[in-house]
Amino acid sequence: MEYPYERSAAVKYAEKWALSRNPAYLDFETLGGDCTNFASQCIYAGSGVMNWTPVTGWYYVTSSKRTASWTGVEYLYRFLTGNRGPGPYAKVVDASDVLPGDLVQLGTADGHFYHSPVVVENSGAGILVAAHSFDAWRRPLNTYLYDRARFLHILGVRK
C-alpha cells in the first residue's frame, strides 16, 4: 500500500534536531560526517517506514546494525531513486519542484556528491535547508559552495 509522505513531520523533526543530536542515533560527525544520517532521520520522521532488506534497504537500529543508505550520500540516492519495496521513494527533479522534506545533494564537478541537506522551505526567497556537518537551520542553499546539485523529491511511502 502507498501512503503520502508527511512533509510537515520531516520539517518539524529537522527543526528540533538541526542544531543538536537525537541520542537515539550515533553522531557520525567524526566518522565522515552526520549529514545523511540526519537526512535519513528526517525522512523517517515523515515516512515512518524503514526498508529491512539486508544491504540494499534503508534502516537504522544501532550504529553497527544499519544500512549504508542510512548514512551514505550516494547510497541514500540509490535507495530513494531505486526503491520498489517498503519505505520512501523519490525522483530527481528541478530545484523549482522540491518541497519541504525533500533533499538536496551537493557535489563536485566530476559528479562526487558529498552533502545531503534537507529542504525546509522553497519560496521566492530561495531554498532554505537544515543540515548536520555543519549544523544549519533555515540556511539559504545559495550560501553553500558546490559545483553540482541534485534535488530529490520524495513521492510517497510504501508499507
Side-chain angles (χ1 to χ4, degrees):
M1 296 184 77
E2 296 195 18
Y3 295 88
Y5 176 57
E6 299 294 334
R7 297 178 178 285
S8 62
V11 172
K12 276 185 184 174
Y13 186 94
E15 181 177 15
K16 181 174 183 176
W17 295 107
L19 304 178
S20 62
R21 300 294 185 270
N22 182 338
Y25 299 91
L26 180 69
D27 180 0
F28 288 85
E29 189 74 34
T30 61
L31 301 170
D34 199 55
C35 68
T36 305
N37 177 39
F38 175 68
S40 286
Q41 292 172 42
C42 293
I43 295 168
Y44 181 61
S47 67
V49 179
M50 293 184 186
N51 181 310
W52 297 98
T53 306
V55 182
T56 61
W58 176 74
Y59 63 84
Y60 182 101
V61 180
T62 66
S63 61
S64 60
K65 194 172 185 180
R66 64 180 166 84
T67 53
S69 60
W70 191 270
T71 54
V73 175
E74 191 64 32
Y75 295 105
L76 180 58
Y77 167 78
R78 286 188 212 148
F79 172 76
L80 288 172
T81 59
N83 182 26
R84 304 289 179 258
Y89 56 98
K91 71 175 181 178
V92 176
V93 297
D94 292 330
S96 60
D97 294 325
V98 291
L99 297 172
D102 287 339
L103 298 185
V104 180
Q105 291 190 321
L106 306 179
T108 61
D110 65 359
H112 169 73
F113 287 87
Y114 56 82
H115 194 40
S116 298
V118 177
V119 175
V120 296
E121 185 179 318
N122 188 2
S123 66
I127 295 173
L128 302 179
V129 299
H132 281 181
S133 301
F134 301 92
D135 294 2
W137 169 244
R138 296 182 59 79
R139 179 176 173 177
L141 182 61
N142 66 10
T143 65
Y144 284 91
L145 296 176
Y146 58 92
D147 295 317
R148 297 174 67 181
R150 61 184 174 204
F151 300 89
L152 297 174
H153 175 64
I154 298 175
L155 296 166
V157 181
R158 295 185 196 95
K159 296 192 180 188

